Amino acid sequence: MTRDVYAGNAIAEVLEVFMESKVPRIGLSGTETLEFTRTVDRSLLHRWALSEVFLTDARRVSESTYLAAAQLPPSHTYYTEGCSRLGVPDPLLLLECCRQAETYGGHAFFGVPRDSKFLLRSWSMSLPGLLTAPVTDRPGELAMRVRTTNRRGAAGDVRRLTYEVEMELSRHRLGTVRIDVGYIPGEVYAMVRERGRGRPLTPFADVPRTGSRLAPSLVGRTDPANVVLGDVRTGPDGASASLRVPVDNRSMFDHAQDHVPGMVMMEAARQLCLFTASELHGASTPRTTVAGFDFSFTRYAELDSPTTVHVRKSEPYAHVDELGAALPEPRTFHVEFEQDGEVIASGRTHTTTSRAYAAAGREVPA
């Protein structure tokens, strides 16, 4: 199967058969007992609004492993808003479900104190089954098997955990997420933050709620409130843009924060990669989606300092693995976040551009 098939007269049936051969349908053992019609204690998720809670159940199965369930909303002001024509689950919604499973599991199963602060060290995602995810009229039921490793600290004083999450949607394998998290005791967090900043924390209410925005259609959006980039600049190998901190967006900032959350940074990376894919490679923004990433974080992104997002270069996906074999036209973008002249986070975002709507067995409308 060559790239020319996708670029020319590809039909959805051919793409579906190819991708299903690479990403078989499986069932995670034990997930049939999970509940999808309730909510968990959102205080264990560090969420205020019920509309931002997707986790519905979590059950421990061994000392290091637990199962979790989430319901994917059919409509949401952030996660289902956009100009995508692929009809697949939002990869960042899947990431948020895994993040909620990680947060809940840390508190409920591994003794992380409720007042501990989370320090995201790194995370990665690979979604070879994304384009063949089933389409239903019901809210999606996401089942997760979470295995923990790399534990540091004793019960009640856990300082680090790594979470490896396998995901399936309606018994269809989507892929995996890996999250490496550190924990800081609540009573020392402010001291650690102020020492790292060299100045007191800025109250959330004082963070500016203005900033220029790119046109939504340039970054895969339709609602300007969900655009997090401004002042974009393109070059021969990539692009750069300022990060507009969306403190007025209640999905990205469900509650007051003293830093830019990792989820917002991933949205900024996604938007800049979609923009770059279109500008430099002619990829259709509505037919392009993130299919994977791997990022590491060296320090918190401050709310009161300008942040620049860079795509340093982009290239065809070079790995011989499940992701590269399963998805059409995969491409890798090398991304950095810069603040006060220092790189505070960096990684790679992998996209795929599909010219056929494989999940529903029909062409994507023009």
Side-chain angles (χ1 to χ4, degrees):
M1 183 70 70
T2 67
R3 185 170 173 174
D4 290 338
V5 173
Y6 298 117
N9 298 320
I11 60 174
E13 290 81 0
V14 172
L15 180 59
E16 185 170 14
V17 168
F18 169 72
M19 295 179 68
E20 288 291 354
S21 69
K22 300 295 184 180
V23 188
R25 295 179 182 273
I26 63 170
L28 295 176
S29 175
T31 57
E32 63 275 2
T33 65
L34 291 170
E35 296 283 348
F36 293 91
T37 57
R38 64 184 187 184
T39 59
V40 298
D41 181 357
R42 63 181 180 272
S43 70
L44 295 182
L45 299 177
H46 304 186
R47 281 290 178 263
W48 285 358
L50 190 59
S51 62
E52 303 306 320
V53 175
F54 309 117
L55 199 70
T56 61
D57 196 8
R59 304 183 183 187
R60 195 168 191 171
V61 296
S62 73
E63 183 178 350
S64 61
T65 304
Y66 60 100
L67 304 176
Q71 186 184 86
L72 306 185
S75 179
H76 191 275
T77 57
Y78 167 54
Y79 288 110
T80 66
E81 183 278 325
C83 63
S84 175
R85 295 175 182 167
L86 295 177
V88 299
D90 181 352
L92 290 195
L93 173 58
L94 300 176
L95 178 62
E96 173 62 15
C97 291
C98 292
R99 191 203 64 78
Q100 291 188 12
E102 163 260 311
T103 303
Y104 185 91
H107 289 311
F109 302 136
F110 300 104
V112 176
R114 289 193 179 216
D115 66 344
S116 288
K117 303 296 184 179
F118 287 45
L119 172 63
L120 178 61
R121 296 176 178 271
S122 65
W123 55 12
S124 61
M125 170 182 275
S126 177
L127 299 173
L130 180 65
L131 292 187
T132 48
V135 177
T136 69
D137 295 330
R138 297 170 56 85
E141 295 183 347
L142 181 71
M144 295 166 277
R145 176 177 289 274
V146 186
R147 185 172 70 93
T148 60
T149 60
N150 198 31
R151 179 171 176 166
R152 300 291 187 272
D157 188 31
V158 179
R159 298 302 177 92
R160 185 172 182 174
L161 272 172
T162 299
Y163 299 78
E164 298 176 356
V165 187
E166 297 178 73
M167 294 176 289
E168 65 173 27
L169 185 64
S170 301
R171 301 186 66 80
H172 171 88
R173 181 173 178 268
L174 291 174
T176 58
V177 165
R178 185 179 188 273
I179 308 175
D180 187 16
V181 183
Y183 304 101
I184 302 175
E187 64 271 16
V188 301
Y189 175 76
M191 179 180 65
V192 170
R193 288 283 288 117
E194 291 189 0
R195 182 184 300 164
R197 284 167 50 90
R199 62 187 187 277
L201 293 169
T202 299
F204 185 75
D206 294 343
V207 177
R209 282 158 166 74
T210 59
S212 62
R213 297 184 178 99
L214 292 185
S217 62
L218 295 178
V219 293
R221 290 293 180 182
T222 56
D223 185 349
N226 289 325
V227 176
V228 298
L229 298 183
D231 303 321
V232 69
R233 301 169 297 283
T234 58
D237 300 316
S240 299
S242 60
L243 172 64
R244 179 191 176 274
V245 183
V247 292
D248 51 354
N249 186 308
R250 295 309 298 270
S251 292
M252 298 190 211
F253 280 85
D254 168 74
H255 60 282
Q257 301 266 24
D258 62 22
H259 62 278
V260 181
M263 290 296 299
V264 175
M265 297 174 74
M266 290 300 95
E267 177 62 30
R270 166 167 61 182
Q271 291 186 13
L272 190 57
C273 290
L274 291 179
F275 174 85
T276 306
S278 175
E279 289 292 306
L280 296 189
H281 306 294
S284 166
T285 300
R287 292 182 172 87
T288 301
T289 182
V290 169
F293 65 79
D294 54 88
F295 275 82
S296 59
F297 303 82
T298 54
R299 69 174 178 84
Y300 288 100
E302 305 295 349
L303 294 171
D304 54 1
S305 293
T307 302
T308 304
V309 192
H310 303 277
V311 168
R312 296 298 189 187
K313 68 174 181 176
S314 60
E315 58 194 357
Y317 188 79
H319 302 285
V320 180
D321 59 10
E322 187 179 25
L323 187 70
L327 300 178
E329 300 187 34
R331 182 166 289 275
T332 297
F333 299 80
H334 297 260
V335 181
E336 290 182 346
F337 290 83
E338 186 177 3
Q339 193 173 73
D340 299 327
E342 179 184 349
V343 175
I344 61 172
S346 61
R348 299 172 301 171
T349 298
H350 312 299
T351 66
T352 180
T353 300
S354 177
R355 303 174 190 275
Y357 188 175
R362 60 179 181 270
E363 294 286 345
V364 179

